[in-house]
Amino acid sequence: MKRFIHILFTILFFGIVLMSSAQNLGITTPGTNAYPQTTIGNTLSELSNNAGNFIIFNPITTTVPLTAISIRTYGSANGTISVTIYSDNSGVPGTKLFTEVAASVTANTLSTITIPNTFLPAGNYWLAYNMNSGSASANYITKSTGVAGYVRKALGLTYGTTFPNNPTGLSNLAAGNQDHIAFLGVGIQGYAKATKATLPVNTAFSSMNFYTHAAGNARLAIYSDNGSGTAPSAKQWESGDISITAAGQPKLTTVNISAGTPSILSLTAGTYWLAWQWNTTTSGPSYTAGSIGSGNAIIQSYGAFPTSWSGGSASTENWTTYATYCAQPVASVTGQTNITCYSANDGTITVSASGGVSPYTFSIDNGANYLSPSSGNTRLFTGLAPNSPFKIRVKDNIGCESKSVQ
């Protein structure tokens, strides 16, 4: 007498929320490249005489890495000036960082002069200018009382003469005065920045995605939360270097999880942080304003993300960065053969997989063990005994498991 392998198609749920399509964790709508800006230097409007026909060098210090995008000046007369930024060389102007930019300025207003985007790591620099006036009364840039120990440098130079790359023969100007000149900087390069997001289910991820506004190289990462929702903690995944082209800005770049480390990523429900780095001075990431504590940043030279995020500063920055987690694969029984006699253990079950990301692996013990396909997207299980409660699952290439079929 024959017995049969009974297969009951009862659907069970084992802690995985079923999804009909891919879901996203993070911010998916691109923002702008109008990032928060920081002013470094003196922008007060107190007036005082300052003669032309000199390059005047004003010392400044940046405490964080910034990309200088413009220089701002204030003066009491209309005129034309040239401006640039120098590095510091042991307390004196060092090397010119970009060719000086000439611009017209308006009296009694703060004039903004666009300059080449220039990355400035935290440190000391010199804001330099030269104006086309030899008069002590035509003040295209004025000065005021500065902080103790503030000493400007000067170099005689007729307006229109190229600024030297490495100035020498400098003299000190009166101590304690500073000019009304500053730069506007944005924090793009020299950071790792992260945005907080909540994962509602236990699941596996297929990709991480990033909107930008310029060409450049970026790196992406996912961090766990520090337990209080205030900062990232432990690195869960990172992408490696990503090249982003200029075409199609704002541009969406997608990086498969399998192309990063680790190559398969499954996370439990909870709070996570989606992080990026950018290695060019142009305005790359897509930004929107967020709420207090939605962002966090650390000073980080471009390269591998730290294993543990520490020393971060909270911010209100949101970045259009998101991760896509999986659409669940489907397991189905597409064939079976019964045992040939009472004592035989020669039954078979053919299991097919669909959905998710192929290739698949197959299990008949509820995911305790997975085997490779016999061919294509199917697996033939042989040597099966009767009256056994086989619980069938499939798992796709990114670690997403199907519901159980018994």
Side-chain angles (χ1 to χ4, degrees), residues 44-373:
L44 301 176
S45 57
E46 179 186 346
L47 305 182
S48 180
N49 293 337
N50 201 1
N53 286 335
F54 286 88
I55 301 180
I56 310 296
F57 301 87
N58 281 258
I60 60 170
T61 299
T62 65
T63 58
V64 295
L66 292 170
T67 292
I69 61 173
S70 62
I71 289 178
R72 311 178 79 181
T73 67
Y74 188 97
S76 60
N78 298 329
T80 305
I81 62 173
S82 294
V83 295
T84 189
I85 302 176
Y86 281 80
S87 65
D88 179 77
N89 181 19
S90 301
V92 297
T95 301
K96 183 170 64 174
L97 300 183
F98 58 88
T99 301
E100 59 273 13
V101 176
S104 296
V105 293
T106 303
N108 302 318
T109 188
L110 199 60
S111 299
T112 299
I113 304 165
T114 300
I115 61 173
N117 284 2
T118 304
F119 176 60
L120 304 177
N124 298 321
Y125 299 91
W126 296 79
L127 288 174
Y129 73 90
N130 179 218
M131 56 189 179
N132 67 339
S133 169
S135 169
S137 61
N139 304 311
Y140 303 161
I141 293 183
T142 60
K143 71 175 185 290
S144 63
T145 301
V147 297
Y150 192 97
V151 177
R152 299 170 297 158
K153 303 288 184 179
L155 177 67
L157 190 79
T158 302
Y159 186 82
T161 303
T162 300
F163 286 25
N165 288 326
N166 299 96
T168 58
L170 303 176
S171 59
N172 291 344
L173 294 179
N177 290 325
Q178 59 183 325
D179 294 313
H180 295 288
I181 184 168
F183 82 86
L184 284 178
V186 297
I188 301 173
Q189 187 182 358
Y191 285 93
K193 295 197 172 187
T195 302
K196 183 167 56 177
T198 300
L199 179 65
V201 296
N202 302 342
T203 190
F205 286 82
S206 58
S207 67
M208 193 166 176
N209 312 274
F210 187 47
Y211 272 103
T212 58
H213 290 280
N217 280 43
R219 301 177 76 96
L220 303 175
I222 300 175
Y223 279 80
S224 61
D225 182 68
N226 65 355
S228 59
T230 58
S233 179
K235 181 173 63 178
Q236 305 298 306
W237 175 87
E238 70 172 291
S239 66
D241 198 49
I242 309 159
S243 179
I244 298 171
T245 59
Q249 304 293 344
K251 185 180 185 67
L252 177 63
T253 298
T254 296
V255 182
N256 290 331
I257 294 296
S258 60
T261 305
S263 59
I264 295 177
L265 178 67
S266 296
L267 298 175
T268 59
T271 299
Y272 293 90
W273 294 78
L274 307 177
W276 60 266
Q277 296 179 64
W278 188 249
N279 81 330
T280 60
T281 58
T282 51
S283 53
S286 186
Y287 164 81
T288 58
S291 58
I292 295 175
S294 64
N296 199 279
I298 57 174
I299 296 175
Q300 161 77 24
S301 297
Y302 186 82
F305 283 89
T307 300
S308 298
W309 189 285
S310 62
S313 299
S315 72
T316 59
E317 297 172 346
N318 278 344
W319 306 95
T320 304
T321 307
Y322 63 95
T324 299
Y325 50 94
C326 62
Q328 195 175 39
V330 176
S332 57
V333 175
T334 54
Q336 69 179 85
T337 61
N338 300 316
I339 59 174
T340 56
C341 66
Y342 178 81
S343 60
N345 295 328
D346 58 359
T348 69
I349 299 173
T350 301
V351 180
S352 296
S354 60
V357 180
S358 64
Y360 308 93
T361 52
F362 301 79
S363 172
I364 58 171
D365 54 9
N366 202 33
N369 298 282
Y370 279 97
L371 300 176
S372 300

